[in-house]
Amino acid sequence: MEANPPLTRIPSLPDLPFNIALQVFTDISLRRKGEDGSNRTDNDVLSVVGQSACDTVLTTFLYSRNPPLSVDGLTAARDELTSEKTLLTWISYYRGIMSNIRCMPGIEPTPEISIRAWYAYMGGIHLVLGHHILDRFVRQLVDPSYEESRPSTGVPPSLPASQRQIYVPTHAGGAPISGVLMGQKPDNQGHCISLLHMMATRNGQRVEYESESSGPRHALAWTVSVLVNGEWKGQGQASSKQVAKEEAAKAALSTLGWL
């Protein structure tokens, strides 16, 4: 069986919510000393879920082939589809996304690291979007003609619109995480505030805001400062308190090297 037939149509990679994508792109090299992965801050456990789910999809897909495969034939075909060569080929189709893995500074993404992130992404699809979405995506990778007339974004109707964008760090190879959501601007939608709190929590740090206003009541000018563990890290100014807070969070992310 040919593991990597030329794709006439590369299936779209289903979108993941912000928090799951953050986990997907965080390599275990960033895990704190003494942690075992049970707090789900990196992609280790999620990759196990994804690998198991993909094995199920591929085994079922191969079982339904016509003419039927023998046990040895099915096993050999599945091994070929889960080989490093095949997985890295699939990953290369989505290099714009999959190249954004965050590792410890000085550690370059290896095939093992890339494959772990790939399986973690598959695990995220399985757990958040549903196994049927993962099943369709993997089958389309193996057989590009599968359900070509039924494109899907992979986003359930019930998923909030604010979560229908995948989080993609803009720096790879250990560089700090970015606050950009694909297709969205972080400057005026509260994403910098959320990202700052998320990163601070991950690093055991406390975030506080100090705000003050000046000018006439009908045209107030707001100044908001951010303190991380009691230290000033950034400031924002705007006619809206929320916008000033967002600008302050963005400034703090830049100061801390998280943006």
Side-chain angles (χ1 to χ4, degrees):
M1 179 178 181
E2 187 179 359
N4 300 306
L7 283 187
T8 57
R9 181 181 66 88
I10 297 175
S12 298
L13 192 63
D15 294 344
L16 290 178
F18 181 100
N19 61 320
I20 299 298
L22 178 62
Q23 187 176 331
V24 166
F25 291 117
T26 301
D27 184 63
I28 62 174
S29 61
L30 290 174
R31 184 182 296 174
R32 288 183 179 182
K33 186 177 181 180
E35 289 186 351
D36 59 5
S38 59
N39 57 2
R40 308 292 197 269
T41 57
D42 56 55
N43 60 19
D44 198 21
V45 176
L46 198 56
S47 69
V48 175
V49 175
Q51 184 171 1
S52 177
C54 284
D55 283 348
T56 299
V57 172
L58 291 172
T59 301
T60 304
F61 172 78
L62 293 169
Y63 177 83
S64 63
R65 285 180 63 87
N66 193 17
L69 296 172
S70 65
V71 172
D72 291 342
L74 187 152
T75 301
R78 186 182 60 192
D79 289 346
E80 189 174 4
L81 289 171
T82 57
S83 68
E84 179 178 294
K85 178 182 177 181
T86 301
L87 292 173
L88 291 178
T89 298
W90 289 346
I91 290 170
S92 72
Y93 299 152
Y94 309 96
R95 63 173 62 91
I97 294 176
M98 297 307 299
S99 64
N100 290 289
I101 305 166
R102 300 185 303 122
C103 301
M104 182 70 71
I107 297 179
E108 293 296 325
T110 62
E112 179 183 359
I113 289 173
S114 297
I115 290 172
R116 182 165 53 241
W118 171 262
Y119 274 133
Y121 203 114
M122 299 303 104
I125 296 173
H126 170 74
L127 292 175
V128 179
L129 305 180
H131 185 77
H132 65 292
I133 299 297
L134 177 67
D135 185 281
R136 180 183 305 157
F137 173 71
V138 173
R139 286 172 182 260
Q140 287 177 336
L141 274 176
V142 179
D143 178 6
S145 66
Y146 179 78
E147 290 191 350
E148 282 192 341
S149 62
R150 295 175 59 188
S152 172
T153 61
V155 180
S158 60
L159 191 64
S162 61
Q163 293 185 355
R164 296 187 186 185
Q165 299 293 334
I166 179 173
Y167 175 84
V168 181
T170 59
H171 304 291
I177 193 167
S178 164
V180 178
L181 285 170
M182 182 181 294
Q184 297 184 8
K185 296 182 179 179
D187 301 322
N188 57 5
Q189 297 187 26
H191 299 313
C192 286
I193 295 172
S194 299
L195 179 62
L196 177 61
H197 281 272
M198 180 178 295
M199 292 301 295
T201 299
R202 288 172 59 85
N203 289 278
Q205 297 176 324
R206 184 182 71 258
V207 176
E208 298 174 287
Y209 293 91
E210 294 181 350
S211 61
E212 59 180 5
S213 62
S214 60
R217 183 171 299 180
H218 67 278
L220 290 176
W222 285 92
T223 299
V224 177
S225 298
V226 178
L227 290 84
V228 178
N229 279 0
E231 297 183 5
W232 185 94
K233 295 298 181 182
Q235 187 177 83
Q237 294 180 320
S239 58
S240 163
K241 182 178 180 180
Q242 186 64 23
V243 173
K245 184 176 181 181
E246 174 72 5
E247 290 298 319
K250 182 180 179 182
L253 286 167
S254 179
T255 299
L256 293 164
W258 292 344
L259 184 62

